[in-house]
Amino acid sequence: MSLLDHPNVLKIIEIFDEEDCIYLVLELLGGGELFDRIVEKENYSEKEAAETVRPIVDAIRYCHSLGIIHRDLKPENLLYMTPSDNSIIKITDFGLARFVENEMATTACGTPNYVAPEIITGKGYSKEVDLWSIGVI
């Protein structure tokens, strides 16, 4: 059912559109945030960091192929399915995401420590801002 049908993107199971609100039923991700794992581990080898980021880059490439920019990538929005060390990591919180096709976005948004310079300048930006955020992560 989910538009974003990628193994590293949070799945929407069901949508209930009521008169006064919309309910989203999402898959359960019980493994915690990447942020917490970074804090617990204190440091990562280059190999571990690459293994963590690779599926995120692949998922963002998929989103971009659909014309979707996330615009708020940060460790708190990257969740693990399970607590195990080899758990799948998924991109969540598409609340600031938008579709962009052959145009530039101009809305200033995102989390200051992870936001790309183009967003701050307000002169327009595209999907590349997500890659900046991944680099910061």
Side-chain angles (χ1 to χ4, degrees):
M1 173 174 190
S2 181
L3 170 67
L4 299 176
D5 191 21
H6 188 280
N8 298 102
V9 175
L10 178 70
K11 300 279 183 284
I12 297 175
I13 306 299
E14 188 70 63
I15 299 173
F16 297 98
D17 189 359
E18 302 294 326
E19 187 175 313
D20 58 344
C21 60
I22 296 175
Y23 296 95
L24 302 176
V25 179
L26 308 173
E27 72 179 313
L28 176 64
L29 300 179
E33 300 173 357
L34 173 60
F35 180 83
D36 294 330
R37 292 202 186 190
I38 290 170
V39 170
E40 287 172 17
K41 191 160 176 114
E42 294 183 6
N43 61 54
Y44 275 84
S45 69
E46 187 175 336
K47 181 181 185 301
E48 290 171 309
E51 289 170 354
T52 300
V53 170
R54 185 175 291 114
I56 299 306
V57 170
D58 185 52
I60 285 298
R61 183 181 305 122
Y62 173 75
C63 292
H64 290 173
S65 75
L66 298 174
I68 298 169
I69 307 174
H70 187 281
R71 302 195 304 178
D72 196 24
L73 290 171
K74 57 186 174 182
E76 295 88 343
N77 288 342
L78 302 174
L79 303 180
Y80 287 92
M81 284 195 73
T82 68
S84 73
D85 288 341
N86 61 351
S87 175
I88 293 173
I89 191 168
K90 295 201 176 218
I91 299 172
T92 66
D93 193 354
F94 283 79
L96 295 178
R98 74 167 281 197
F99 285 99
V100 174
E101 291 187 40
N102 303 320
E103 62 187 284
M104 301 291 272
T106 56
T107 303
C109 61
T111 302
N113 290 342
Y114 302 94
V115 71
E118 301 93 305
I119 292 177
I120 296 169
T121 63
K123 295 180 181 173
Y125 57 88
S126 189
K127 60 188 177 186
E128 293 80 9
V129 298
D130 287 340
L131 300 178
W132 174 278
S133 298
I134 291 171
V136 174
I137 293 167

